[in-house]
Amino acid sequence: ERKYKYIHVRTVGKGSNVGYIELDRPSALNALCDPLMLEVSNALDDFESDDSIGCVILTGSNKAFSAGADIKQMAPVAKYADIYKAKFLSQWDKIASFRKPLIAAVNGYANVMAGGCEIAMMCDIIYAGDTAKFGQPEIKIGIIPGAGGTQRLPRAVGKSKAMEMVLTGDPITADEAKQYGLVADVFSAKDLLPKVIEKAEKIAANSHLVTSMCKEATNKAFEMTLAEGLHFEKRMFHSTFATDDRLEGMMAFIEKRKPNYSNE
Ligand code: CO8
């Protein structure tokens, strides 16, 4: 059991097969200081190696998902060489490279800002409470987004809206975020977590092994040409036939029963 200072970690769902990570640094609206991100990274490592976990939810507070990187930590950095040598914020990569389905459940009238928006976009699905706001306000403090705001955001909402967001720093509402495809769905703030847990349980009911393969293939859509991506998908599809869970899934369908996956 690890001890955490800035996050709460537990399992949720009827089968306790959904991992749950709640950011809890209220004094700074969940600004993502190094120790907090290290804790998130450790919690993700633990869920990744736990075979019983089939999906993970990353969430914040009712006020804020996260106000981004910690400006008070960044302000005193003296020079380029220091930030380069320290591989500044490289532990954030763990979120993007996590192999199981990862859902961002974002609540909070205050914000999903800057680095907060970027870590939400590193997740596989974003669900929002109706009061949430999404923005990339880095430009207002003399920097540009550094963890996907100029890359994942245009892929999610298209060039014009992304440019508007990164150049003005103005946030968009949860409904706009849904309209532009940044979030999968919007729920009333109080229903958000129960709804997201329901979705996560649905995902976790599938073979955890094959779910990771499905995630890996879908992510290739953003990395490859269509021809390469289709080829990768086909090979990945073929490889599901090397798993026990493929046979179990198909037999359960034919025998009209629930599959009992072994993740092998
Ligand atoms: N860092 C540090 N502290 C913060 C941050 C932050 N990002 N955001 C808020 N806080 C602190 C405030 O300083 C304040 O502390 P105190 O009470 O001690 O003064 C407390 O949280 C509450 O904040 P506010 O009083 O400002 O709360 P409001 O509800 O009035 O406003 C806002 C909410 C609009 C979200 C406002 O806090 C805000 O604009 N925050 C800054 C947002 C921002 O510009 N973030 C950019 C961070 S840069 C970034 O994320 C780049 C990522 C690069 C990744 C690179 C990876 C390699």
Side-chain angles (χ1 to χ4, degrees), residues 49 78 103-105 118 139 158 168 176 188 196 207 235:
S49 58
I103 301 179
E118 290 174 314
I139 199 73
T168 64
E176 283 177 284
S188 78
V196 173
S207 160
R235 287 288 172 269

Side-chain angles (χ1 to χ4, degrees), residues 53-123:
I53 297 296
C55 186
V56 175
I57 297 170
L58 180 63
T59 193
S61 69
N62 285 335
K63 182 160 186 207
F65 179 71
S66 168
D70 191 321
I71 299 171
K72 289 167 189 165
Q73 182 190 328
M74 288 188 286
V77 173
K79 54 184 198 286
Y80 173 76
D82 295 343
I83 199 163
Y84 182 84
K85 282 190 281 192
K87 282 177 73 180
F88 185 59
L89 304 183
S90 56
Q91 73 274 34
W92 290 31
D93 298 343
K94 178 68 212 176
I95 298 178
S97 63
F98 187 63
R99 296 179 73 191
K100 296 181 179 182
L102 183 57
I103 301 179
V106 303
N107 236 334
Y109 61 88
N111 53 69
V112 188
M113 289 293 163
C117 190
E118 290 174 314
I119 64 167
M121 289 190 292
M122 289 177 197
C123 297

Side-chain angles (χ1 to χ4, degrees), residues 4-264:
Y4 293 111
K5 182 170 176 205
Y6 296 113
I7 62 176
H8 301 290
V9 180
R10 59 179 191 272
T11 56
V12 295
K14 286 174 220 66
S16 298
N17 56 1
V18 173
Y20 185 91
I21 302 173
E22 180 188 336
L23 309 180
D24 185 22
R25 193 187 172 210
S27 62
L29 300 179
N30 292 337
L32 306 166
C33 59
D34 276 347
L36 180 150
M37 289 305 285
L38 188 63
E39 289 187 2
V40 171
S41 176
N42 286 337
L44 287 174
D45 277 340
D46 291 345
F47 284 139
E48 194 163 75
S49 58
D50 182 343
D51 253 1
S52 70
I53 297 296
C55 186
V56 175
I57 297 170
L58 180 63
T59 193
S61 69
N62 285 335
K63 182 160 186 207
F65 179 71
S66 168
D70 191 321
I71 299 171
K72 289 167 189 165
Q73 182 190 328
M74 288 188 286
V77 173
K79 54 184 198 286
Y80 173 76
D82 295 343
I83 199 163
Y84 182 84
K85 282 190 281 192
K87 282 177 73 180
F88 185 59
L89 304 183
S90 56
Q91 73 274 34
W92 290 31
D93 298 343
K94 178 68 212 176
I95 298 178
S97 63
F98 187 63
R99 296 179 73 191
K100 296 181 179 182
L102 183 57
I103 301 179
V106 303
N107 236 334
Y109 61 88
N111 53 69
V112 188
M113 289 293 163
C117 190
E118 290 174 314
I119 64 167
M121 289 190 292
M122 289 177 197
C123 297
D124 302 308
I125 306 174
I126 306 178
Y127 293 114
D130 54 2
T131 53
K133 285 206 169 93
F134 296 79
Q136 297 286 162
E138 288 89 338
I139 199 73
K140 295 185 192 173
I141 56 167
I143 53 172
I144 73 167
T150 71
Q151 301 300 308
R152 290 194 180 92
L153 187 64
R155 282 168 169 79
V157 305
K159 174 177 164 179
S160 196
K161 197 69 195 172
M163 281 288 191
E164 182 185 67
M165 289 173 72
V166 296
L167 295 177
T168 64
D170 288 343
I172 58 172
T173 63
D175 284 335
E176 283 177 284
K178 182 175 175 187
Q179 182 192 327
Y180 283 101
L182 178 62
V183 309
D185 217 341
V186 178
F187 302 109
S188 78
K190 71 170 181 14
D191 290 341
L192 177 72
L193 283 174
K195 293 274 191 202
V196 173
I197 291 170
E198 230 173 78
K199 299 272 190 193
E201 286 186 283
K202 209 173 258 190
I203 292 170
N206 298 319
S207 160
H208 301 169
L209 177 69
V210 177
T211 299
S212 285
M213 292 176 166
C214 191
K215 166 171 173 165
E216 191 179 345
T218 308
N219 272 332
K220 292 294 183 205
F222 299 96
E223 312 281 353
M224 290 177 157
T225 65
L226 181 61
E228 289 167 329
L230 290 170
H231 182 72
F232 183 88
E233 180 194 64
K234 193 66 81 246
R235 287 288 172 269
M236 207 71 170
F237 167 76
H238 289 155
S239 73
T240 61
F241 283 70
T243 69
D244 296 344
D245 284 352
R246 187 278 312 184
L247 186 58
E248 171 60 14
M250 290 184 172
M251 291 314 291
F253 173 80
I254 291 165
E255 291 165 7
K256 300 187 190 302
R257 60 175 174 81
K258 270 197 171 162
N260 182 16
Y261 293 120
S262 62
N263 300 313
E264 296 285 337

